[in-house]
């Protein structure tokens, strides 16, 4: 009457199958994998092209990094749309915006690609012109391009 490795594998397999079936039957199910994996990433644009587009008043710059990073420095004219507060900030500032309006997203850090997460969330909300600025804010700042403190 000892617990064998087979018993452990059997019990674990049954638990996983029940968990997956419960999740699939739930209308508020949790995705089993990130949806971003199935989508092609938004196109990246160069710093030169970004500077050209910044002169267009229809273009909106979005900083996807957490608020602490945004407060330390940002590209001139950008608004902060952090992943942790995406739904709240989006509903307050961007929900009534034209879905065809060009959105330039940046937010790459050494440890995380916030820009990809926010770009995917914007595309999921129906925005069709979402572009990611290459290399992120750190490289932008190193090149001496316009920033705000």
């Amino acid at each position: 009457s000892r617990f064998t490795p087979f018993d452990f594998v059997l019990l674990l397999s049954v638990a996983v199958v029940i968990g997956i079936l419960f999740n699939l039957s739930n209308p508020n199910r949790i995705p089993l994998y990130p949806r971003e994996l199935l989508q092609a990433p938004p196109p990246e644009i160069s710093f030169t092209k970004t500077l050209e587009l910044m002169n267009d008043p229809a273009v909106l710059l979005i900083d996807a990094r957490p608020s602490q990073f945004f407060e330390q420095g940002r590209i001139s004219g950008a608004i902060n749309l952090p992943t942790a507060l995406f739904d709240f900030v989006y509903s307050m500032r961007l929900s009534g915006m034209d879905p065809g309006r060009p959105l330039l997203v940046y937010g790459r850090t050494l440890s995380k690609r916030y820009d990809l997460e926010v770009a995917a969330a914007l595309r999921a909300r129906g925005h069709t012109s979402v572009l990611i600025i290459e290399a992120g804010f750190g490289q932008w700042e190193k090149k001496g391009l316009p920033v705000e403190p």
Side-chain angles (χ1 to χ4, degrees):
S1 73
R2 301 196 94 192
F3 194 69
T4 66
F6 175 76
D7 295 333
F8 175 76
V9 171
L10 181 64
L11 187 59
L12 182 63
S13 300
V14 169
V16 167
V17 168
I18 290 173
I20 290 172
L21 291 174
F22 177 77
N23 188 43
L24 292 174
S25 68
N26 187 344
N28 297 325
R29 70 181 60 127
I30 298 170
L32 299 176
Y33 51 86
R35 290 190 179 117
E36 297 88 40
L37 291 177
L38 298 179
Q39 297 177 349
E44 289 191 3
I45 60 170
S46 67
F47 291 153
T48 307
K49 185 68 175 167
T50 300
L51 288 168
E52 291 174 20
L53 291 174
M54 283 174 60
N55 296 325
D56 184 352
V59 172
L60 181 62
L61 283 164
I62 297 176
D63 187 325
R65 300 173 301 154
S67 300
Q68 316 78 287
F69 294 120
F70 179 77
E71 291 167 7
Q72 292 173 3
R74 60 194 161 276
I75 296 177
S76 298
I79 65 164
N80 190 222
L81 185 60
T83 56
L85 300 172
F86 180 84
D87 291 327
F88 177 72
V89 174
Y90 183 86
S91 65
M92 296 291 290
R93 299 184 82 180
L94 304 175
S95 61
M97 185 175 56
D98 174 22
R101 183 178 183 181
L103 305 174
L104 307 182
V105 181
Y106 68 94
R108 183 179 308 180
T109 65
L110 292 174
S111 62
K112 193 162 183 182
R113 294 283 313 262
Y114 296 104
D115 50 2
L116 285 178
E117 291 178 28
V118 169
L122 288 166
R123 291 169 72 185
R125 298 276 177 124
H127 294 276
T128 56
S129 184
V130 179
L131 303 169
I132 293 181
I133 300 172
E134 70 175 358
F137 180 74
Q139 291 297 319
W140 178 276
E141 193 173 33
K142 282 181 185 175
K143 289 190 179 261
L145 297 170
V147 297
E148 295 175 350

